[in-house]
Amino acid sequence: MTDHSDRVEELIAAAAASDLSAQEQAEFDALRAQDPTIDATLHELMGLLPGLQAAVPHWEEAEPPQRLDASIRSITESGVRSETVVEGNGAPAASASEKPLSEHSRAQQPRGRRRAAFALVAAGSVIAGSGATLTVQHLIDSPPDGPPGTYGAVEEITFLDEPGEVSVDGSLIAHTWGTETVLEIEGLEPGSSFTVVLVAEDGQEFASGTFFGSEVLIECRMNAAIMRDEVERVEITAEDGNVITWAELPSAIDPEAEDTGAGES
Amino acid sequence: MRHTNEDVIRLGQSPPEPAQTADHSPPQPVHFDVAETYSRFGRQLYLFALNALGDPDAAEEVTQESFTKAWLARHRFDPQQASARTWLFAIARNVIKDAFRRRARLPEPVDDRRMTHLSTSAPDPAEKLMLIEALSCLSTEHRQAVVAIHLIGLSYAELSESTDIPISTLRSRTFHGLRALRRYVTSSEADDD
């Protein structure tokens, strides 16, 4: 496309919107008579408009939600960890990040829950292998110590009302970007989908990820964009929304508010 | 504990010496920085998804999934072949198409007021998506001028009055916005050929 002077560009823009005054029209016509490339440019731009107007009858201008920034930044962090914890008896265990993402969105969750879980679980790790017998504590090398809420510290939690054969060991790790849940799960129905949900004090639910039940031990790490000191309860729910088991959490500190000197994670 | 290169690789840095054990991490140094790419193109991609799908929740999911897929496939990213934005938007287009397909399998009640619109000749979905993508990638100033003048139908005088920006500036922004759109569309069509 030919370059034009600033004035010609303004007149072309006005002409394309049928917004030329009579005086401008005369000026534009004179310029067009001198420079045929002006018409070529005008036609190129105007040729775009019918398609644009048909394709985009309405445009919404909005900022992405703040939580999206945090959750996308956590993709890398979670994914790196997910590969460091692979340990077993030979072949690398399958991780969630190697599955098609569509598999992770099979569960029919309420929209509010599904939002956060949609892809975080893809970056988290679900390791289902007979040799994958790391304990939760061993998943992290020399974590910082401190009360619940300390950045990077592993906080063991206890799940209650586990039905029948179901056994869940869990820990939480507070991060600057949210809360990580580390789970070892056995006994959930193979193939069925389950969701890890962090419940805030005000009852708001933050989905942390979904996983499938398996005949072997499942280890998984999931993330949610909620600060640890705001989490009151962790739930594992079935596809129909029923709570399978849950853990009540103690109060946690806000490291930044109390300046505990807890390490960044 | 067995370590892979991923233990120490931070995106954009060189990998350590080859590990002694089986390695299923990316074979080459990778140069796709999720955080930086999100800072540069996250808003564009979100706008693309939002206007393609018309649903903030779906747009958030698409943005998240696109970046996740990009990161998981980062070893296939070659900056010599395409820019990070080109690569990311190619992924996003597929994620949005998948979202359309999922929606197509779910019957939705149709508002009677939309029936007339639906029965008219709809634009080609691929072209529609490309134009929304192109519009998303304009600068905010250029996009706002193009949208106000050519989609909403304001006159330059009306827009100038509501924004306190001179008409000449708005015309210039619209011109450059339309020209950038044209270039984007032309280059996308060339890539498709």
Side-chain angles (χ1 to χ4, degrees):
Chain A
M1 191 178 288
T2 310
D3 286 332
H4 301 285
S5 70
D6 291 347
R7 180 60 181 162
V8 169
E9 289 176 356
E10 289 172 24
L11 292 173
I12 290 173
S18 302
D19 201 54
L20 289 168
S21 67
Q23 190 177 2
E24 288 172 332
Q25 184 68 59
E27 180 188 0
F28 190 49
D29 289 343
L31 290 166
R32 289 165 62 202
Q34 295 169 16
D35 181 359
T37 65
I38 294 175
D39 274 352
T41 300
L42 178 62
H43 289 141
E44 280 181 2
L45 298 187
M46 289 191 72
L48 196 63
L49 296 176
L52 183 66
Q53 288 157 353
V56 196
H58 167 77
W59 182 264
E60 188 170 347
E61 192 78 20
E63 291 296 326
Q66 196 68 37
R67 61 178 172 270
L68 193 53
D69 182 276
S71 62
I72 282 177
R73 287 172 194 280
S74 74
I75 290 170
T76 307
E77 200 167 335
S78 303
V80 170
R81 281 215 191 86
S82 75
E83 293 181 27
T84 64
V85 298
V86 173
E87 183 167 291
N89 56 358
S95 75
S97 56
E98 291 163 343
K99 291 182 176 180
L101 288 182
S102 57
E103 290 191 20
H104 300 300
S105 56
R106 278 181 189 161
Q108 297 300 307
Q109 305 167 52
R111 174 173 289 285
R113 290 186 171 188
R114 192 175 65 225
R115 181 191 303 161
F118 191 72
L120 283 175
V121 69
S125 168
V126 178
I127 301 170
S130 58
T133 54
L134 288 175
T135 65
V136 171
Q137 282 287 355
H138 291 159
L139 293 174
I140 295 182
D141 295 324
S142 305
D145 287 324
T150 304
Y151 289 147
V154 177
E155 174 192 357
E156 291 202 18
I157 57 177
T158 304
F159 281 87
L160 305 173
D161 295 335
E162 298 160 290
E165 304 291 312
V166 177
S167 167
V168 182
D169 289 333
S171 296
L172 294 179
I173 303 168
H175 294 281
T176 52
W177 43 260
T179 304
E180 181 177 5
T181 306
V182 184
L183 298 172
E184 288 183 345
I185 306 158
E186 285 183 296
L188 287 173
E189 185 183 345
S192 294
S193 174
F194 300 89
T195 304
V196 178
V197 181
L198 272 53
V199 184
E201 294 165 346
D202 62 1
Q204 194 176 352
E205 296 179 343
F206 294 78
S208 194
T210 59
F211 62 92
F212 293 116
S214 172
E215 292 177 352
V216 298
L217 178 70
I218 298 170
E219 295 180 355
C220 54
R221 290 171 175 271
M222 295 175 179
N223 301 314
I226 176 174
M227 304 308 290
R228 166 61 188 91
D229 62 310
E230 296 169 351
V231 184
E232 187 177 77
R233 194 166 64 252
V234 179
E235 297 177 352
I236 297 175
T237 62
E239 286 182 79
D240 60 7
N242 284 333
V243 177
I244 302 295
T245 180
W246 56 281
E248 201 74 41
L249 306 186
S251 298
I253 62 164
D254 176 352
E256 293 177 16
E258 298 185 17
D259 191 21
T260 60
E264 173 64 88
S265 58
Chain B
M1 179 180 292
R2 189 171 61 195
H3 292 273
T4 72
N5 284 353
E6 282 298 320
D7 288 332
V8 286
I9 286 180
R10 291 296 179 268
L11 298 180
Q13 296 179 0
S14 299
E17 291 301 314
Q20 297 295 315
T21 54
D23 181 3
H24 54 99
S25 60
Q28 298 294 328
V30 288
H31 302 277
F32 183 74
D33 186 319
V34 170
E36 184 196 344
T37 308
Y38 181 77
S39 296
R40 293 177 64 196
F41 308 122
R43 184 171 186 274
Q44 292 178 0
L45 201 150
Y46 176 78
L47 276 178
F48 174 33
L50 176 64
N51 285 280
L53 297 164
D55 177 348
D57 287 328
E60 191 176 340
E61 290 173 359
V62 163
T63 307
Q64 175 88 48
E65 185 174 3
S66 299
F67 274 92
T68 302
K69 283 189 164 180
W71 188 75
L72 294 175
R74 63 198 180 283
H75 58 286
R76 295 203 296 270
F77 171 58
D78 182 356
Q80 307 287 331
Q81 297 289 323
S83 69
R85 185 175 76 174
T86 300
W87 190 62
L88 184 66
F89 273 78
I91 291 171
R93 279 196 292 277
N94 287 329
V95 174
I96 288 172
K97 286 174 186 171
D98 285 344
F100 279 137
R101 289 188 197 105
R102 283 196 296 272
R103 282 184 176 183
R105 290 197 292 268
L106 299 173
E108 290 183 2
V110 176
D111 186 337
D112 289 346
R113 289 167 295 181
R114 292 180 56 208
M115 291 300 287
T116 306
H117 172 70
L118 291 174
S119 63
T120 58
S121 57
D124 172 47
E127 184 187 351
K128 177 182 167 81
L129 210 53
M130 181 180 58
L131 285 165
I132 293 172
E133 178 184 331
L135 208 47
S136 308
C137 291
L138 294 184
S139 73
T140 303
E141 290 79 10
H142 289 170
R143 180 172 53 248
Q144 286 174 343
V146 169
V147 167
I149 298 298
H150 290 291
L151 299 186
I152 297 174
L154 294 182
S155 69
Y156 282 104
E158 289 169 332
L159 183 58
S160 176
E161 188 179 341
S162 64
T163 59
D164 271 341
I165 296 171
I167 288 177
S168 59
T169 303
L170 294 172
R171 285 177 172 177
S172 177
R173 287 180 181 177
T174 307
F175 176 85
H176 289 287
L178 289 176
R179 194 162 68 171
L181 276 180
R182 166 84 185 166
R183 284 180 177 151
Y184 201 101
V185 167
T186 306
S187 116
S188 296
E189 287 172 346
D191 289 345
D192 291 343
D193 290 341

